Amino acid sequence: MRVPTEERPLLAGPDSGPEPPFPLRLKGPVIKGFGRGSKELQIPTANIPISGLSVGGCSEIESGIYYGFASLNLPPSHPDYAPSGGTVFPMVMSVGWNPFYKNTVRSVEVHIIHSFKADFYGVEMRLVVLGWIRPEYDYVSKEALIDDIKMDIRVGLESLKRPAYAKFREDPFLTAFEEEEKEDASPSSEKL
């Protein structure tokens, strides 16, 4: 699909808050992607596996650009570690084939809107996806792709400022790393 020529709105989704199928919650380990986000586009992404991805009853997420919040379960040795467990950040996410690059593999690439001091491959990332921004497009140049990604980031940030969306920053799914780790480490009553 080619990029539309009309000007894009700065908000995505209704002011009243996410509508079904949103919010979608997913998690996975951060894996190495194609290596283009940081190096070529100067817009780093954290990738998660798409195989077996089923979210909120959706067997397959439609290709396109989404927005929401992301959290990371960073280890204490990471320079961006927060003692309270996962730190929550705004994000925009691309799901699809990246037509500009003619990918043969579908990918999930998350741009966390934060400047990290170090990589975090292998760390669990959790996402609360709150809305759809646009379909994926093909571009005539790398510069046009970068401009549109920057616009996606603006739309995501503006959309998340609304109270009905901002409240999801506190979603327990994003913030409960410590509690889940404690539950996993405690003996179950069946073993006693």
Side-chain angles (χ1 to χ4, degrees):
M1 179 181 286
R2 289 274 178 206
V3 180
T5 55
E6 69 269 3
E7 194 168 319
R8 292 175 50 198
L10 271 178
L11 293 174
D15 287 342
S16 59
E19 292 182 338
F22 305 107
L24 300 174
R25 291 171 177 85
L26 60 147
K27 63 183 177 178
V30 176
I31 60 172
K32 284 201 178 271
F34 299 106
R36 295 184 291 241
S38 294
K39 294 179 187 85
E40 192 173 326
L41 303 175
Q42 301 301 305
I43 302 169
T45 59
N47 303 312
I48 59 173
I50 197 166
S51 59
L53 190 62
S54 176
V55 186
C58 300
S59 60
E60 187 172 299
I61 295 177
E62 185 178 348
S63 291
I65 311 303
Y66 297 82
Y67 65 96
F69 291 105
S71 63
L72 297 163
N73 192 12
L74 296 170
S77 59
H78 194 279
D80 291 293
Y81 172 77
S84 60
T87 304
V88 180
F89 306 97
M91 66 84 181
V92 291
M93 174 178 81
S94 168
V95 177
W97 301 95
N98 299 314
F100 178 74
Y101 288 104
K102 312 291 187 258
N103 287 359
T104 57
V105 176
R106 200 162 178 249
S107 63
V108 177
E109 300 174 70
V110 179
H111 174 65
I112 299 174
I113 305 169
H114 178 78
S115 293
F116 289 93
K117 297 177 184 110
D119 289 335
F120 42 86
Y121 294 115
V123 166
E124 182 183 350
M125 178 169 57
R126 295 183 181 194
L127 305 170
V128 173
V129 183
L130 298 174
W132 162 269
I133 295 177
R134 63 171 177 84
E136 64 179 346
Y137 298 127
D138 197 355
Y139 294 90
V140 296
S141 68
K142 182 172 65 174
E143 292 73 23
L145 169 62
I146 292 169
D147 287 346
D148 224 22
I149 294 171
K150 288 179 179 178
M151 181 64 176
D152 295 334
I153 293 167
R154 282 185 63 203
V155 170
L157 286 171
E158 290 301 314
S159 298
L160 290 170
K161 287 179 183 177
R162 297 173 292 178
Y165 294 86
K167 70 181 182 180
F168 282 91
R169 183 182 285 270
E170 306 300 323
D171 189 304
F173 179 77
L174 293 171
T175 60
F177 289 111
E178 268 184 28
E179 289 80 5
E180 282 189 18
E181 287 170 5
K182 288 176 190 171
E183 288 172 16
D184 290 345
S186 67
S188 69
S189 57
E190 292 175 13
K191 294 181 184 176
L192 295 176

